[in-house]
Every structure is written in structure tokens, then in C-alpha cells.
């Protein structure tokens, strides 16, 4: 296939992935297994891929209803713990809950017993604070029998302890999303993660807002953090879905979404080492510019 045809095909796939998939979606409650949270599944299917999703700071799993439903509509079981939703959340506790969520969806039959997740088709994703939490969860599960096959970190932000430490140990493929201006903000650690996570690809989503994946109104807007943005949601959902479909199921139709050399719409690949180190002093200077 020529380069031009490949780009055109990928753009067509991207456009399709911004919309709901072909599967009817069912919603369940993780609380049946002792973990607060929600699970979204296709209406039927055996040996499906599954992903655990971590929310951003001072928000909840309910703020990602559309994203979780979107993944399920494309055949991916999506579970989201609804824990650590306060002002001082624990990254390590939420990471543990992500692992528990994967254990639940891979260990029991869902729906009426006709839906199952294959233990070798598991992924982890997160947004903001939850994106860095996803890194902790992946590192904690990497030595297990059924570790994650892919990780998506959408606009990761700083945590304590720093997520860069576990990121340096990862060999699982990762997709790190940032915006063109995010690397110079005090909260973002996308570039720092990409520098130590050797198997991750860093992409900058043009015209997207780093906080836009959250749905509805959120408390964080009071302190100046951005709220919901439909364009950002469409872009992130398409990139995340294509990436997971290829790496969790092996579907070659979506291989460009996991190819660090591929040209994806609205998501240019960034070299985390292309510029001078993004240190704290430079971030403060950028913050103070009029």
C-alpha cells in the first residue's frame, strides 16, 4: 500500500473511531464484587479485551460515562473504579484499585454470563492524575502472569510519589498524550514520563484541551482547570480506541494507531528529547508570562 493510500485509510479509520462503534452497550456496577465503580460492556461477546480506567483529580468515574461507553461500543470492556475522589487522593491506592478492577472483569462472567474478558487482552488507561496512576498500576502488574498489554496516559499530571520512577521500569507499550502547550505547565509530566518510558510514544493533540475529557461540570473549574470539551473527547476517544484495538486484540486494521512513525490526524508525534530539558524554572517562567 502506498504512503498516500495508507494515510487516507488511517484518517478514515480515525473519523470512524470518533463516533460510537457497532456494539450495543450495557452498564454494570463493580460494587457487586466489592469495588465502587462502573463497568461498561458490549451486549455480548467472549474473550473480549478489557481496560481499567482511572479518573482525574477531584472528579469521579461518572464523569467519563461517554468515554467508557465509547470503548464498549467498539468491543472493549471498560471498568472504572470510583475511589480516591477527594482533594488529597492516593495515587498508589487508586493504582491498586485499577488492578482489582482488571481482576474482576477478567475473573468473572459479566452480564447474564455470556460476556467474558480474556486475561491476556488487558490494558490500563487514565486521564490527568489518573494517567500517572495508570503508570503505577502497569508497573505493579508487569511481573504478573497477566500484565497489561498496553497503557494509555492522557495528559498525565504530577503525583506523589512521582510516576517517573515506575515509568522507567516499564517495557509495556504506552501512548502518552499531551497538548502543544502542556509540557510548559507546572502540572504536566508528559515529557518527563516519555523520557524515561522507553516503549512509550508521545503525541501532541492539536486544538485539544488537557482537561476536556472530563464530562459535565467539575469542581476543578473553580481553580482554573478546564472543563468538558467535545472536540477533545472525540480526539482522545479515537486515539485510545484505535491504540487498544490493535495492541489488545492484534487487529492489524488499527496498527497505525500504535505505530510511533505513523501520521495520525490531530496527533503529531513529539520527540521528548528534541528541546532543552523542561525543568521547574522554565515552567515557572512560562507561567508568569503575560
Amino acid at each position: 500500500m502506498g504512503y498516500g493510500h495508507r494515510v487516507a485509510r488511517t484518517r478514515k479509520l480515525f473519523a470512524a473511531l470518533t463516533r460510537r462503534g457497532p456494539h450495543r452497550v450495557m452498564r454494570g456496577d463493580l460494587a457487586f464484587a466489592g469495588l465502587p465503580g462502573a463497568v461498561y460492556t458490549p451486549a455480548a461477546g467472549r474473550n473480549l479485551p478489557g481496560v481499567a480506567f482511572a479518573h482525574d483529580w477531584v472528579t469521579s468515574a461518572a464523569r467519563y460515562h461517554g468515554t467508557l461507553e465509547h470503548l464498549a461500543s467498539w468491543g472493549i470492556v471498560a471498568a472504572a473504579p470510583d475511589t480516591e475522589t477527594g482533594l488529597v487522593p492516593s495515587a498508589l491506592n487508586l493504582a491498586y484499585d485499577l488492578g482489582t478492577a482488571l481482576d474482576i472483569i477478567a475473573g468473572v462472567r459479566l452480564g447474564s454470563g455470556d460476556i467474558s474478558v480474556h486475561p491476556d487482552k488487558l490494558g490500563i488507561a487514565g486521564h490527568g492524575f489518573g494517567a500517572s496512576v495508570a503508570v503505577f498500576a502497569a508497573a505493579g502488574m508487569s511481573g504478573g502472569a497477566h500484565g497489561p498489554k498496553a497503557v494509555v496516559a492522557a495528559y498525565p499530571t504530577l503525583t506523589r510519589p512521582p510516576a517517573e520512577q515506575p515509568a522507567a521500569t516499564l517495557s509495556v507499550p504506552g501512548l502518552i498524550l499531551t497538548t502543544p502547550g502542556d509540557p510548559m505547565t507546572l502540572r504536566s509530566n508528559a515529557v518527563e514520563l516519555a523520557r524515561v518510558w522507553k516503549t512509550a510514544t508521545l503525541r501532541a493533540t492539536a486544538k485539544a484541551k488537557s482537561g476536556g475529557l472530563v464530562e459535565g461540570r467539575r469542581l476543578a473549574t473553580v481553580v482554573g482547570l478546564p472543563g468538558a470539551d467535545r472536540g477533545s473527547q472525540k480526539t482522545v476517544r479515537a486515539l485510545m480506541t484505535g491504540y487498544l484495538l490493535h495492541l489488545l486484540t492484534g487487529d492489524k486494521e488499527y496498527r497505525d494507531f500504535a505505530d510511533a512513525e505513523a501520521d495520525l490526524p490531530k496527533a503529531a508525534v513529539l520527540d521528548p528529547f528534541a528541546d532543552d530539558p523542561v525543568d521547574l524554572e522554565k515552567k515557572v517562567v512560562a507561567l508568569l508570562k503575560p
Side-chain angles (χ1 to χ4, degrees):
M1 180 184 295
Y3 176 76
H5 289 292
R6 178 177 175 181
V7 170
R9 179 181 59 81
T10 300
R11 291 184 179 277
K12 185 176 180 180
L13 289 173
F14 180 89
L17 289 173
T18 63
R19 302 184 291 270
R20 282 180 60 96
H23 297 277
R24 186 167 62 88
V25 175
M26 299 172 59
R27 183 189 185 280
D29 195 339
L30 289 176
F32 79 90
L35 178 68
V39 57
Y40 291 75
T41 75
R46 298 286 180 87
N47 295 319
L48 297 171
V51 62
F53 185 91
H55 59 76
D56 197 5
W57 176 64
V58 292
T59 186
S60 65
R63 297 299 189 185
Y64 297 91
H65 162 83
T67 295
L68 300 170
E69 188 175 56
H70 184 89
L71 290 170
S73 76
W74 283 97
I76 302 170
V77 174
D82 200 21
T83 57
E84 303 300 323
T85 58
L87 289 172
V88 189
S90 167
L92 298 181
N93 287 349
L94 184 52
Y96 180 84
D97 291 339
L98 286 179
T100 300
L102 286 182
D103 287 342
I104 292 171
I105 63 175
V108 301
R109 289 289 178 88
L110 304 170
S112 301
D114 55 350
I115 303 168
S116 67
V117 172
H118 197 287
D120 290 327
K121 297 180 181 179
L122 302 178
I124 300 175
H127 173 229
F129 168 77
S132 289
V133 167
V135 171
F136 281 101
M141 299 178 63
S142 60
H146 303 292
K149 298 299 187 294
V151 180
V152 179
Y155 315 108
T157 57
L158 298 173
T159 57
R160 290 190 180 277
E164 291 88 327
Q165 296 173 3
T169 71
L170 291 176
S171 58
V172 59
L175 173 63
I176 304 173
L177 299 181
T178 187
T179 65
D182 249 13
M184 292 306 294
T185 65
L186 286 171
R187 298 183 71 241
S188 174
N189 63 342
V191 170
E192 290 87 345
L193 286 176
R195 285 176 174 164
V196 298
W197 186 357
K198 303 304 182 184
T199 51
T201 301
L202 178 66
R203 290 185 179 272
T205 52
K207 299 182 180 180
K209 298 178 180 179
S210 59
L213 192 59
V214 177
E215 300 156 24
R217 300 183 63 181
R218 62 188 302 210
L219 175 62
T221 56
V222 177
V223 294
L225 298 181
D229 182 74
R230 290 289 299 277
S232 301
Q233 291 166 9
K234 286 185 176 182
T235 296
V236 175
R237 289 169 185 171
L239 293 171
M240 183 184 304
T241 303
Y243 190 80
L244 294 173
L245 283 175
H246 176 64
L247 287 176
L248 301 187
T249 71
D251 191 334
K252 294 182 180 179
E253 185 79 359
Y254 302 99
R255 63 184 181 275
D256 282 355
F257 288 82
D259 184 349
E261 303 297 326
D263 180 21
L264 298 181
K266 304 179 182 180
V269 175
L270 295 184
D271 179 357
F273 297 99
D275 299 317
D276 293 334
V278 181
D279 57 26
L280 180 60
E281 180 181 354
K282 290 184 178 181
K283 290 189 175 187
V284 172
V285 171
L287 180 68
L288 295 177
K289 283 183 179 179

